[in-house]
Amino acid sequence: MYSFLEVQPRVRGPADGLSLVVVFRLVAVAAMFGLLGACGGGGSGSAPTPPPPTPSPSGPLDAVMSVPDPVGYDADRLAAFNRLNEIRLSAGLGMLAQNRTLDQAAQAHAEWEIVNDIYGHVEQAGTTGFTGAHWYDRDEALGYTPMAGEEVIASGYDAVSAMDGFVNAAYHRIGVLAIEPVDVGVGRADQTTSNVSEPVVIDIAVPARDSIRGQGQRAQDSAGGVVIWPIDGAVSVSTRMGDEAPNPVPSSDVLSLGMPASVTVSSSRTIQVTSFSVKNSTTGMIVPTYVLARFNDPNGLVPISYVAAIPLVPLETNASYTVAFEGNVLEPYANTPTALSRTWRFSTGPT
């Protein structure tokens, strides 16, 4: 059984040709977030820059609290879709709507992995079932032009476990808990080959050619524009991050790292960290962590709007933890940061 997670974000326009850069970032003229490229799948590529959407007077959408029931999903894909939106709602984010074109692109890539016995994001031209080198190429080939977004893939997980694995992992979490996306496509193949086992492919995006939805959405008002994970009061949290690719702490075995705590704001805002700690609430012991931020990310995938405290050891089982974050948030084009302080608690389960 294979257990792999890989992530490939993307930014359009001048950043084309870079291989390892940041995830969601502001596109100043259109006041939109763009996506940047790379991951364990590796590689880079270029694509035509879509015309910027016409700004709506109302700005980004309010958090989307309900979406139509998906059409045409089997049980596995429906379970993945529902779990993704359950995670987002619990974190104070809006739901993502099924997009049939993104579904087709994600499903085609899952089937490509099986047919070619290759696990990864990048397809090779000339191979059986080729629809585009990168996820955004495949989306465009089928008729959806993403302004921003991310593809996450898994092998060796059932659909729900894959989604839980994505939000547990320091890099995958960035896309799953990004505030702005509005659309999702889900792919799943139920076959196993030498190098791929029942792959799950999730494409998360904002459309470039929609003047309203193309501006993305806000967090729920109750989140106050700040998304934390694990959520306050979460129970049975995993003690470990899991198999993340690429490894955010290359000096450590990725499977020995504990569950990260993270803070996310909208993609145009910059988080500045003063302190970020994880403490065992019972013993009072501070857990040794690596604070992963834009400035020290070894893989160049962290955006300005995200920071994570990654425990360098597994958390204890059936224990309570307190997370404390102190820092600032800098608004775009602003010179004076606003203080940001969050303290929350969660408890681990038996594994």
Side-chain angles (χ1 to χ4, degrees):
M1 178 66 71
Y2 300 90
S3 297
F4 300 126
L5 298 174
E6 288 192 341
V7 56
Q8 187 177 46
R10 168 70 176 172
V11 68
R12 313 186 62 86
D16 287 348
L18 298 179
S19 62
L20 286 175
V21 278
V22 184
V23 190
F24 299 93
R25 102 175 160 183
L26 183 68
V27 177
V29 175
M32 297 295 300
F33 65 102
L35 62 200
L36 302 155
C39 98
S44 61
S46 60
T49 302
T54 303
S56 165
S58 61
L61 302 171
D62 288 333
V64 177
M65 303 305 293
S66 64
V67 295
D69 291 336
V71 175
Y73 282 165
D74 59 17
D76 282 341
R77 286 191 287 168
L78 179 61
F81 175 89
N82 287 338
R83 182 57 178 156
L84 171 61
N85 277 324
E86 181 181 44
I87 288 168
R88 288 183 61 86
L89 286 174
S90 73
L93 296 170
M95 300 176 72
L96 304 182
Q98 178 193 26
N99 183 278
R100 299 299 297 276
T101 303
L102 292 182
D103 283 342
Q104 293 172 23
Q107 185 65 29
H109 185 60
E111 293 172 1
W112 177 89
E113 290 185 303
I114 290 294
V115 168
N116 294 281
D117 193 19
I118 297 172
Y119 179 71
H121 293 283
V122 182
E123 295 185 9
Q124 289 78 47
T127 53
T128 302
F130 174 82
T131 53
H134 304 279
W135 72 269
Y136 40 87
D137 298 321
R138 299 188 283 271
D139 292 350
E140 284 198 61
L142 289 167
Y144 184 107
T145 302
M147 170 64 72
E150 182 170 296
E151 177 179 86
V152 291
I153 64 175
S155 173
Y157 293 83
D158 64 72
V160 171
S161 296
M163 202 60 61
D164 289 340
F166 294 146
V167 78
N168 284 353
Y171 288 135
H172 288 73
R173 185 182 298 176
I174 297 169
V176 172
L177 297 185
I179 293 173
E180 295 87 353
V182 296
D183 292 324
V184 65
V186 181
R188 167 76 162 173
D190 60 7
Q191 297 89 8
T192 294
T193 62
S194 297
N195 297 304
V196 190
S197 177
E198 300 182 324
V200 176
V201 179
I202 309 292
D203 285 3
I204 297 171
V206 167
R209 304 183 188 280
D210 187 317
S211 61
I212 303 300
R213 298 177 74 252
Q215 295 185 85
Q217 60 179 312
R218 303 182 179 94
Q220 297 177 40
D221 290 340
S222 60
V226 179
V227 178
I228 60 171
W229 197 269
I231 61 174
D232 190 21
V235 297
S236 297
V237 172
S238 176
T239 60
R240 299 173 186 263
M241 180 175 69
D243 193 4
E244 170 75 295
N247 184 351
V249 189
S251 59
S252 297
D253 177 357
V254 69
L255 295 179
S256 71
L257 299 173
M259 170 63 66
S262 65
V263 179
T264 302
V265 295
S266 59
S267 61
S268 63
R269 305 165 75 198
T270 300
I271 295 181
Q272 301 171 330
V273 183
T274 302
S275 63
F276 199 175
S277 66
V278 179
K279 181 177 70 173
N280 186 308
S281 304
T282 301
T283 66
M285 298 293 293
I286 298 294
V287 179
T289 60
Y290 180 79
V291 177
L292 179 70
R294 168 71 176 272
F295 74 92
N296 68 346
D297 176 17
N299 300 298
L301 294 172
V302 172
I304 59 174
S305 55
Y306 174 87
V307 63
I310 304 174
L312 298 176
V313 294
L315 302 180
E316 293 186 17
T317 59
N318 301 310
S320 178
Y321 287 87
T322 300
V323 183
F325 174 86
E326 296 290 340
N328 299 291
V329 173
L330 186 63
E331 304 292 338
Y333 312 115
N335 295 319
T336 304
T338 301
L340 175 61
S341 177
R342 288 289 187 278
T343 300
W344 72 96
R345 293 173 175 80
F346 67 88
S347 59
T348 57
T351 59

